[in-house]
């Protein structure tokens, strides 16, 4: 008989209150950060542009794409398919001037891949001032 030792050895207990505190803190952190990320994507203020700010005298290189996917650099048709003939034609027209603005004029029915190919060729050659030509729509026109 044991008189002095009244504690049993199998009374092991895990304190779960600190675990719950940590889990609730992590839950609140993830809920708040996901909410901030979602709101930052929703509110976008786009920049304004005016025609008076542009340099109209700068010589631009024009890459045109018709609805069949044929490329034209300046007024010359690019012979051959793929990105390499297009890069050669751009290099022959632009020379070493990579700061020159480039305008991509594509038909409205041109496949998207052809426009991406032109942008890829220009990017690989080091052109960074790209713009895509559009036609302004009439005010109040609905589609």
């Amino acid at each position: 008989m044991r008189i002095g030792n009244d504690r049993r050895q199998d009374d092991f207990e895990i304190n779960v209150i600190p675990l719950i505190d940590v889990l609730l803190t992590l839950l609140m952190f993830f809920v708040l950060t996901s909410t901030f990320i979602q709101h930052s994507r929703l509110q976008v203020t786009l920049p304004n542009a005016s025609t008076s700010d542009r340099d109209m005298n700068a010589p631009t290189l024009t890459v045109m794409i018709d609805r069949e996917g044929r490329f034209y650099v300046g007024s010359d048709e690019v012979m051959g398919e793929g990105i390499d003939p297009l890069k050669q034609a751009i290099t022959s027209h632009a020379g070493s001037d990579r700061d020159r603005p480039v305008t991509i004029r594509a038909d409205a029915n041109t496949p998207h891949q052809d426009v991406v190919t032109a942008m890829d060729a220009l990017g690989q050659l080091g052109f960074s001032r790209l713009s895509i030509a559009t036609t302004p729509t009439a005010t109040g026109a609905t589609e």
Side-chain angles (χ1 to χ4, degrees):
M1 181 163 137
R2 293 184 186 176
I3 298 175
N5 194 358
D6 290 346
R7 290 188 353 196
R8 293 178 31 191
Q9 293 296 331
D10 54 345
D11 283 345
F12 187 126
E13 176 179 329
I14 296 176
N15 193 358
V16 294
I17 293 174
L19 179 65
I20 292 172
D21 289 343
V22 170
L23 288 177
L24 287 175
T25 304
L26 287 174
L27 179 68
M28 288 180 61
F29 173 75
F30 287 121
V31 167
L32 290 175
T33 56
S34 67
T35 302
F36 288 134
I37 292 170
Q38 186 179 18
H39 287 302
S40 67
R41 278 191 243 145
L42 293 176
Q43 297 174 356
V44 175
T45 304
L46 298 175
N48 296 324
S50 65
T51 56
S52 61
D53 293 335
R54 296 188 316 190
D55 184 10
M56 300 306 264
N57 296 327
T60 61
L61 177 66
T62 304
V63 177
M64 292 182 284
I65 310 165
D66 66 4
R67 70 175 57 190
E68 285 81 26
R70 291 187 298 252
F71 294 95
Y72 299 86
V73 178
S75 59
D76 302 326
E77 183 175 359
V78 176
M79 297 300 178
E81 292 189 15
I83 197 167
D84 292 327
L86 180 59
K87 286 168 56 175
Q88 290 173 355
I90 293 170
T91 303
S92 68
H93 278 276
S96 62
D97 185 15
R98 298 298 186 249
D99 292 328
R100 187 176 184 178
V102 179
T103 303
I104 299 174
R105 298 178 58 90
D107 189 270
N109 296 322
T110 299
H112 186 70
Q113 181 60 49
D114 294 334
V115 177
V116 171
T117 301
M119 293 174 76
D120 189 26
L122 291 163
Q124 288 178 14
L125 292 173
F127 290 93
S128 60
R129 297 177 62 191
L130 304 179
S131 63
I132 297 177
T134 58
T135 303
T137 58
T139 311
T142 59
E143 293 188 77

